[in-house]
């Protein structure tokens, strides 16, 4: 059973498909300028979650980890974009500054994998998703909303997932 507070919500996913479905619901709530920050070790399910987010956002583009290209862009028919950034290979915060994150965020929604590595240059307001590998079929996801917009997203998201 998820543990809920005003700004935090914990969920235990029992399969990759369930993680993807969570992403679909979350992606459907995203708008221009929204920022999702994903953290977690290798194998925690970050890219699987992003696959669902892109699908829910309305993109038909295939999702893959942008580890070697840094940024993938997923488009939907209305021209809106979802930027998928992987900062795993960055050498530090200085390199993150060169990415011009503000421009990426102004032209679409932005999802950052390994966001904890560049936290000092990220806006305070964001939805953080801390992911943890528990077993081959189980992941722990802790959602943290920082700011009014993200509290609203999380409230809508919880309502969609839990019903009621």
């Amino acid at each position: 059973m998820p543990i809920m507070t005003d700004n935090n919500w914990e969920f235990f996913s029992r399969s990759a498909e369930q993680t993807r479905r969570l992403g679909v619901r979350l992606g459907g709530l995203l708008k221009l300028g929204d920022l999702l920050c994903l953290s977690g070790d290798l194998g925690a399910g970050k890219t699987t979650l992003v696959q669902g987010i892109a699908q829910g956002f309305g993109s038909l583009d295939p999702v893959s980890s942008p580890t070697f290209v840094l940024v993938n862009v997923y488009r939907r028919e209305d021209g809106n974009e979802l930027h998928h950034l992987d900062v795993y290979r960055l050498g530090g915060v200085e390199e993150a500054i060169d990415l011009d994150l503000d421009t990426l965020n102004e032209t679409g929604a932005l999802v950052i994998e390994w966001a904890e590595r560049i936290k000092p240059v990220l806006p305070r307001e964001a939805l953080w998703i801390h992911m943890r590998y528990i077993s081959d079929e189980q992941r722990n996801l802790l959602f943290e909303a920082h700011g009014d917009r993200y509290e609203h997203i999380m409230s809508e998201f919880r309502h969609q997932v839990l019903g009621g």
Side-chain angles (χ1 to χ4, degrees):
M1 185 68 174
I3 299 166
M4 294 178 277
T5 65
D6 287 343
N7 295 0
N8 296 326
W9 183 52
E10 187 173 24
F11 189 88
F12 291 90
S13 174
R14 308 260 183 246
S15 68
E17 186 52 39
Q18 188 175 32
T19 300
R20 246 186 305 283
R21 284 194 315 263
L22 282 174
V24 169
R25 292 181 185 274
L26 186 56
L29 299 171
L30 296 182
K31 296 181 180 170
L32 179 78
D34 285 341
L35 174 60
L36 302 181
C37 298
L38 310 183
S39 70
D41 293 333
L42 286 169
K46 295 181 297 293
T47 301
T48 300
L49 183 67
V50 175
Q51 289 170 345
I53 291 169
Q55 181 183 347
F57 184 73
S59 173
L60 300 176
D61 298 327
V63 173
S64 61
S65 180
T67 301
F68 296 101
V69 294
L70 287 181
V71 181
N72 284 339
V73 178
Y74 310 118
R75 292 175 180 81
R76 59 184 190 198
E77 287 184 15
D78 66 4
N80 283 319
E81 298 178 343
L82 176 67
H83 300 109
H84 178 198
L85 176 65
D86 184 324
V87 298
Y88 182 76
R89 297 202 177 278
L90 289 187
V93 172
E94 299 77 25
E95 288 183 32
I97 293 169
D98 293 338
L99 292 175
D100 197 10
L101 297 174
D102 290 341
T103 299
L104 287 177
N105 214 20
E106 288 170 6
T107 59
L110 176 59
V111 179
I112 303 175
E113 290 192 44
W114 301 95
E116 70 276 13
R117 293 175 176 233
I118 63 167
K119 191 170 185 175
V121 299
L122 294 175
R124 191 193 92 60
E125 292 196 6
L127 180 62
W128 280 81
I129 306 167
H130 306 280
M131 301 181 71
R132 205 166 44 90
Y133 174 93
I134 296 174
S135 69
D136 285 348
E137 292 299 319
Q138 191 171 10
R139 304 296 189 270
N140 172 257
L141 294 86
L142 177 62
F143 298 84
E144 283 185 69
H146 299 277
D148 291 342
R149 167 72 184 141
Y150 300 99
E151 288 174 19
H152 174 75
I153 289 172
M154 194 159 66
S155 174
E156 288 294 313
F157 177 58
R158 279 195 307 225
H159 178 75
Q160 285 184 13
V161 172
L162 300 176

